[in-house]
Amino acid sequence: MSEDRTLALARQLIALDSITPQDAGCQELLKARLAALGFRIERMRHGEVENFWARRGATGPVLCFAGHTDVVPTGPHEQWHSAPFAPEIRDGLLYGRGAADMKASLAAFVTAIEDFLAGHPDHQGSIALLITSDEEGPAVDGTVRLVETLAERGETLDYCIVGEPTSSAAFGDTIKNGRRGSLSGRLTLYGVQGHIAYPHLARNPVHQAAPALTELAAMVWDEGNAHFPPTTWQVSNIHAGTGAGNVIPGEMTVDFNFRYGTASTAEDLKQRLEAVLTRHGLDYNLRWTLGGRPFLTEPGPLSSALQAAIAAETGVAAELSTTGGTSDGRFIAAICPQVVEFGPINATIHKLNECVAVADLPRLSAIYRRTLEQLLG
């Protein structure tokens, strides 16, 4: 029996050492398969990042598959049970870095389109792919740049499926129809350095900041809403001191992050946090980084088509969810009213011995194909 086509392509992709922002030839594999199907392909390299935009058809509606060829670093190779870039099947699982996040989905995109076109060569609308190698990294020269280019040209999308690994307990159980926003800050608090035995001659920024940080940690930023949980604020790093045990530090740095939904705005969160710092009389500098605003796709044709496709292939009733971290969907939402994410089980992503169930690969491809049939068939 010949090897499943989705599995074969996934193995080819996993074998390429595409640690972010390197693509390592993954996109050439994808582009070759798409070109054979009549896609017009545009390479959109920015800096060190390889990207491409591919489209078949000139009319709407436009259904786009979006994803990334880059993967996170492997960690210690000796702690993997097999080499991370030598895909290996053991006990029904395909192992390798990027197996679940997200080379299985990339392979399934291609084979789903191949199968769909075999049965629907004169389909409605257009099929597109938006692929980057800068999702796991800074995400500044990847999808966001492609979206900017498409927006400048007046190109919009009607539907977009991002191939992130969204399934949780069982394959097919979760579709992401939105994501929280991410707002980070680096807070530098200034004091006066001095000898620890003469605190009256110094001013300790750690001591001064403690009441404000306690207040911020206890604040209820919002109550969330029907689609998103309440906003959270978490400190990720604190640094102060010279390393000596007898020196009061002259300054202190605090890194923190908000994860927020549509019940708050980035601007409101900034104002409320800065008001606390000011009220406590702190001498500070604050640098903000907006990683992404929240996006939400209300239930509609895309999520319904995908849920129906999942049910037909797996018997699972997929739930819509906005939990988890950020994704490139936050950028695509600027030019697409319906953006969802769906892919394999995410239990091993970014871990040692990342893997995906071999049996889920043809099912994933079939789900994408069925969705194409419902929306463009």
Side-chain angles (χ1 to χ4, degrees):
M1 182 181 295
S2 60
E3 185 175 55
D4 173 74
R5 290 165 32 251
T6 307
L7 171 60
L9 181 52
R11 292 178 69 150
Q12 285 182 282
L13 292 169
I14 294 167
L16 298 171
D17 184 353
S18 58
I19 295 174
T20 190
Q22 301 304 313
D23 169 68
C26 293
Q27 292 182 24
E28 291 304 315
L29 278 177
L30 300 176
K31 288 189 286 187
R33 297 279 282 263
L34 296 170
L37 299 172
F39 279 80
R40 303 185 309 278
I41 299 170
E42 296 179 64
R43 182 189 183 204
M44 296 184 180
R45 182 180 174 91
H46 291 280
E48 296 182 331
V49 177
E50 288 289 347
N51 310 292
F52 77 84
W53 165 249
R55 179 167 174 168
R56 186 184 193 275
T59 62
V62 181
L63 192 159
C64 176
F65 293 100
H68 60 91
T69 54
D70 59 318
V71 300
V72 295
T74 63
H77 280 215
E78 64 274 13
Q79 294 184 27
W80 284 72
H81 297 156
S82 54
F85 296 108
E88 183 174 302
I89 296 174
R90 299 191 304 276
D91 300 322
L93 299 173
L94 173 63
Y95 286 86
R97 174 56 85 221
D101 189 14
M102 56 179 291
K103 292 182 175 180
S105 295
L106 295 174
F109 288 167
V110 172
T111 57
I113 293 168
E114 290 173 340
D115 290 341
F116 171 71
L117 292 177
H120 302 81
D122 300 317
H123 60 85
Q124 302 176 52
S126 300
I127 307 170
L129 289 95
L130 193 160
I131 306 296
T132 183
S133 63
D134 185 34
E135 197 274 346
E136 299 290 8
V140 296
D141 284 323
T143 298
V144 65
R145 293 292 194 100
L146 272 68
V147 168
E148 289 170 354
T149 299
L150 295 175
E152 288 168 2
R153 300 194 318 211
E155 288 196 61
T156 58
L157 311 176
D158 295 282
Y159 313 113
C160 183
I161 299 174
V162 185
E164 289 294 338
T166 58
S167 299
S168 180
F171 174 61
D173 63 3
T174 306
I175 298 169
K176 302 290 187 183
N177 67 318
R179 294 280 190 164
R180 294 178 296 173
S182 176
L183 175 64
S184 298
R186 170 159 287 188
L187 172 65
T188 303
L189 299 138
Y190 302 105
V192 176
Q193 183 174 309
H195 197 293
I196 205 164
Y198 302 94
H200 59 290
L201 300 177
R203 190 172 76 248
N204 194 323
V206 178
H207 294 186
Q208 289 195 307
L213 295 179
T214 299
E215 181 176 339
L216 291 169
M219 282 186 71
V220 176
W221 300 93
D222 58 48
E223 299 293 341
N225 54 32
H227 302 291
F228 292 96
T231 292
T232 61
W233 181 82
Q234 290 291 313
V235 171
S236 56
N237 288 284
I238 293 180
H239 177 76
T242 64
N246 59 354
V247 178
I248 293 171
E251 64 179 58
M252 170 185 176
T253 301
V254 180
D255 293 325
F256 62 84
N257 177 265
F258 284 104
R259 291 299 167 104
Y260 69 103
T262 51
S264 292
T265 65
E267 292 70 23
D268 177 60
L269 296 173
K270 289 179 183 180
Q271 291 172 4
R272 291 177 63 192
L273 184 139
E274 291 180 25
V276 172
L277 301 177
T278 300
R279 188 170 67 252
H280 282 268
L282 300 176
D283 182 9
Y284 70 90
N285 176 266
L286 183 52
R287 187 169 76 247
W288 292 100
T289 301
L290 180 60
R293 298 185 186 277
F295 77 91
L296 177 70
T297 297
E298 296 280 359
L302 178 56
S303 58
S304 295
L306 192 52
Q307 285 175 313
I310 292 167
E313 285 297 325
T314 68
V316 173
E319 295 185 354
L320 301 180
S321 170
T322 62
T323 59
T326 59
S327 79
D328 278 359
R330 68 191 189 274
F331 304 127
I332 300 167
I335 60 168
C336 184
Q338 295 188 53
V339 180
V340 300
E341 304 168 25
F342 177 71
I345 292 176
N346 57 23
T348 63
I349 61 173
H350 293 207
K351 293 184 177 181
L352 298 168
N353 300 302
E354 180 181 351
C355 62
V356 64
V358 171
D360 290 343
L361 296 176
R363 296 198 296 171
L364 180 60
S365 177
I367 288 166
Y368 292 151
R369 173 186 55 78
R370 286 178 180 272
T371 306
L372 280 165
E373 288 171 347
Q374 292 189 60
L375 294 173
L376 301 183

